[in-house]
Amino acid sequence: MGKLNVVMLRYLSREHFRVLTAVEMGMKNHEIVPASLIASIANLKHGGCNKILRELVKHKLLAYERTKTVQGYRLTNAGYDYLALKTLSSRQVINSVGNQMGVGKESDIYIVANTEEQQFALKLHRLGRTSFRSLKNKRDYHKHRHKMSWLYLSRIAAMKEFAYMKALHDRKFPVPKPIDYNRHAVVMELVAGYPLCQVRQMEDPAAVYSELMDLIVKLANHGLIHGDFNEFNLILDNDDHATLIDFPQMMSTSHPNAEWYFDRDVNCIKEFFKKRFNYESELFPTFKDIRRECSLDREIAATGYTKEMQEDGELLCPPGSDEDDSTTEVLELVEDAENELNFLISESRTSDNDLCSSEGEADTAESEENTQRLSKGTIENAAEVENQAGQGGCCKVKEDEDECPELVDSSTLNEEFRHYSEECVVPVAGHRTRTKSISSVRSVGSCSTIPPELVKQKIKRQLTKQQKSALKQRLQKGEANVYTKQRRENMQNIKSSLDAVNFWG
Ligand code: ADP
Ligand code: MG
């Protein structure tokens, strides 16, 4: 058990967080993020950025890695913890971090407190810790994703945990009160008591047994199965009342293997009471006993229903994360970096299209068609950029957001718990909505009704987007950049050595 070293939080500058966040964003597409890409995303000069990168490595918030094909940086657990802690502390949810109070299979639990000295439990999900195969068997939320990173998995685990806890707490289930979450961190009520696994004696095992079985049935009546209902995830207070914790693996009673999981939960309790308290009862619930009262599973999109919810966009950037100043800032910076890098392309293309739009009707029609074609590309790119930037697609998109809507959308991410509701707009749907709106805007005007000036403006706008997408592609090829850069440096070295040889005769 250790302490989370948060002292550094005080000494890290804005730039440090900007670089950390840039690495986090880079990791959405790269396991190891090249330094040049980090500098572009963070919009810092390479020299300055390298200095900060070195400091972050020294403090173990980043790790430097070099393979045959790529060299660069990746976030460490501590780096990711810092990002989450900074966000939570800037929201004034937590003010201090105390000792580690528990180590779960896939988490570290700390005691934290807010400015009023009120204590909470902070759960930091660490999904890369257990073996990947066992994780794959146990959880299903990465089904549609080819490349899973621990960042991604830990983040969705925290999001799911918070969603379930909130829904259950609202319905008066005995679970900790959820306070807030960010990235892989969940802040919740600190439950007083002992985990059931540490309880050796109790006054009335029969009463506790039946309370726990009732809880399993009540959950199922609400459409849910805990999936890990055992002595490690139940905390018993002084009056022997239980509080249930640990929810990321919860699933719907409509899950194909729901009955198996339900029986397993029931058996865990049966076996534990038999072994520990020598208590056996003939009474235990079966899957057939379930009488559906409501469909909490649908509301919180439990396993059997989560296909839509599992689209990358929403999962990578759960609602609320936009409150993180540094993230928002870096999102803007990504745009700047892209703009800068694509400056040259934009120059040539803009002039081409100026010509195009100022000519006759036929040309205008052609350019309009071009525009539509471009807008299609833009839509794809917008969706892509949005995913890359980790924006949830559930955002409402304004029709007239021509100024880089994919970045502006980030402000709508703090709508709370969109994923609870059945009407939740799926990220992809969100893109589609906008897709429609963009293409409809583009296709409404026929060439004869749009003044050439307007067409010109539109094309310019579209081109800016196209340039951005081209930039993005270039940004994504960060590894290649490392090589080009190295080659260029080598050539320069050779040239200067040759010059020197010439000079000295
Ligand atoms: P894991 O998913 O890794 O199993 P858990 O949520 O089960 O993590 O937490 C691990 C341990 O931390 C628990 O067994 C419990 O002792 C402690 N713990 C977790 N959450 C709380 C809480 N809200 N209040 C008190 N103790 C907690
Ligand atoms: Mg647990």
Side-chain angles (χ1 to χ4, degrees):
M1 300 246 179
K3 215 173 172 175
L4 197 63
N5 182 10
V6 285
V7 180
M8 274 296 296
L9 256 182
R10 268 181 253 150
Y11 301 108
L12 293 181
S13 67
R14 229 177 141 73
E15 264 79 35
H16 285 97
F17 276 104
R18 185 186 285 214
V19 172
L20 263 187
T21 317
V23 178
E24 182 192 24
M25 296 193 68
M27 283 183 75
K28 281 168 189 160
N29 287 322
H30 304 259
E31 233 163 272
I32 300 169
V33 193
S36 52
L37 181 60
I38 301 170
S40 305
I41 297 177
N43 200 23
L44 290 171
K45 290 211 178 85
H46 285 247
C49 188
N50 283 340
K51 184 173 163 266
I52 293 172
L53 284 169
R54 274 198 302 274
E55 282 168 12
L56 291 170
V57 170
K58 200 175 100 195
H59 295 299
K60 297 195 168 56
L61 303 182
L62 290 182
Y64 175 75
E65 283 198 16
R66 187 186 188 133
T67 67
K68 273 184 190 160
T69 49
V70 67
Q71 54 179 317
Y73 299 83
R74 61 168 179 81
L75 268 182
T76 59
N77 273 340
Y80 203 40
D81 292 350
Y82 266 51
L83 285 172
L85 285 173
K86 181 171 181 264
T87 303
L88 290 169
S89 78
S90 69
R91 290 183 199 163
Q92 289 173 348
V93 173
I94 60 175
N95 185 51
S96 59
V97 179
N99 282 332
Q100 187 169 2
M101 57 183 276
V103 186
K105 291 182 299 297
E106 292 154 353
S107 69
D108 289 324
I109 320 281
Y110 293 88
I111 298 179
V112 293
N114 63 11
T115 38
E116 281 112 50
E117 314 255 307
Q118 205 181 347
Q119 291 194 329
F120 301 108
L122 168 76
K123 179 168 175 178
L124 299 169
H125 287 263
R126 310 238 187 260
L127 262 79
R129 193 145 74 188
T130 49
S131 103
F132 210 61
R133 200 167 297 151
S134 75
L135 183 79
K136 218 170 157 183
N137 294 336
K138 208 171 144 209
R139 310 266 165 113
D140 72 336
Y141 40 55
H142 56 273
K143 219 183 310 186
H144 310 289
R145 205 175 153 83
H146 310 294
K147 243 177 119 186
M148 292 168 285
S149 72
W150 59 271
L151 281 182
Y152 169 83
L153 291 167
S154 305
R155 191 168 196 153
I156 42 175
M159 186 191 76
K160 272 187 93 176
E161 174 139 88
F162 190 83
Y164 284 113
M165 217 186 322
K166 172 99 174 68
L168 292 173
H169 187 263
D170 288 351
R171 278 156 187 90
K172 310 270 182 291
F173 277 83
V175 298
K177 182 176 190 246
I179 308 294
D180 200 355
Y181 79 105
N182 179 260
R183 295 180 170 86
H184 62 318
V186 180
V187 183
M188 64 185 116
E189 176 191 343
L190 182 62
V191 181
Y194 295 94
L196 184 56
C197 58
Q198 290 176 14
V199 178
R200 304 274 148 197
Q201 277 184 332
M202 60 173 62
E203 252 174 48
D204 189 358
V208 180
Y209 173 91
S210 96
E211 183 182 313
L212 297 180
M213 291 302 184
D214 286 350
L215 184 51
I216 295 179
V217 174
K218 192 178 166 196
L219 281 170
N221 288 345
H222 283 71
L224 292 171
I225 296 167
H226 185 274
D228 209 4
F229 199 101
N230 57 38
E231 63 274 25
F232 302 99
N233 292 327
L234 288 158
I235 300 177
L236 227 56
D237 67 12
N238 288 336
D239 302 323
D240 285 353
H241 288 303
T243 303
L244 182 62
I245 57 166
D246 200 1
F247 311 99
Q249 70 293 321
M250 276 189 96
M251 72 199 74
S252 162
T253 44
S254 312
H255 188 279
N257 300 327
E259 185 164 0
W260 188 86
Y261 283 109
F262 179 89
D263 289 344
R264 193 177 69 171
D265 279 0
V266 170
N267 275 332
C268 275
I269 298 301
K270 261 170 70 180
E271 288 299 313
F272 177 74
F273 273 74
K274 197 163 98 184
K275 269 195 213 146
R276 179 72 55 93
F277 307 110
N278 209 11
Y279 173 82
E280 248 182 295
S281 168
E282 280 176 8
L283 295 175
F284 59 88
T286 64
F287 199 63
K288 289 177 207 74
D289 298 333
I290 298 171
R291 300 281 169 269
R292 263 233 185 192
E293 286 168 27
C294 79
S295 299
L296 252 190
D297 51 344
R298 285 174 199 237
E299 281 179 47
I300 40 185
T303 302
Y305 289 92
T306 45
K307 276 200 189 111
E308 301 152 325
M309 188 179 155
Q310 288 167 24
E311 295 295 336
D312 288 359
E314 169 133 349
L315 296 173
L316 283 169
C317 196
S321 57
D322 63 324
E323 284 167 33
D324 181 354
D325 293 345
S326 53
T327 310
T328 319
E329 198 177 303
V330 172
L331 289 177
E332 285 158 15
L333 295 173
V334 171
E335 186 195 4
D336 291 347
E338 286 175 350
N339 278 334
E340 254 172 54
L341 281 172
N342 228 17
F343 179 70
L344 290 172
I345 311 171
S346 78
E347 279 299 286
S348 59
R349 291 217 180 124
T350 313
S351 54
D352 286 352
N353 283 279
D354 279 351
L355 272 174
C356 198
S357 57
S358 56
E359 280 172 25
E361 221 178 83
D363 284 346
T364 321
E366 200 183 298
S367 65
E368 188 63 17
E369 198 187 309
N370 274 342
T371 314
Q372 282 182 31
R373 215 171 344 110
L374 284 173
S375 69
K376 198 170 159 250
T378 310
I379 290 151
E380 282 158 18
N381 289 324
E384 232 179 277
V385 171
E386 214 158 323
N387 269 343
Q388 194 195 11
Q391 299 303 291
C394 284
C395 322
K396 282 178 205 133
V397 182
K398 286 180 212 146
E399 293 269 327
D400 56 351
E401 272 176 348
D402 279 310
E403 291 300 313
C404 244
E406 62 272 19
L407 299 172
V408 178
D409 282 348
S410 68
S411 61
T412 57
L413 280 171
N414 54 355
E415 276 174 40
E416 266 200 81
F417 321 122
R418 283 165 307 205
H419 44 283
Y420 293 153
S421 124
E422 265 193 278
E423 297 96 53
C424 165
V425 187
V426 184
V428 173
H431 295 174
R432 276 193 203 122
T433 314
R434 188 176 48 180
T435 303
K436 266 189 210 149
S437 68
I438 292 178
S439 40
S440 62
V441 169
R442 307 291 171 234
S443 55
V444 161
S446 78
C447 46
S448 55
T449 51
I450 301 182
E453 272 313 300
L454 200 63
V455 174
K456 207 166 150 185
Q457 268 178 16
K458 276 186 182 181
I459 292 168
K460 272 191 180 175
R461 259 185 266 154
Q462 281 305 321
L463 280 168
T464 317
K465 284 182 181 174
Q466 206 198 23
Q467 293 147 18
K468 272 179 199 156
S469 76
L471 277 170
K472 192 175 74 58
Q473 278 175 2
R474 287 172 61 186
L475 275 175
Q476 280 176 341
K477 290 176 190 153
E479 292 101 330
N481 284 346
V482 174
Y483 276 111
T484 321
K485 207 176 137 198
Q486 274 176 353
R487 236 182 302 149
R488 219 176 282 147
E489 276 167 9
N490 277 346
M491 273 165 60
Q492 259 165 9
N493 281 343
I494 294 166
K495 197 168 166 267
S496 57
S497 333
L498 283 174
D499 287 349
V501 170
N502 289 339
F503 179 79
W504 295 108

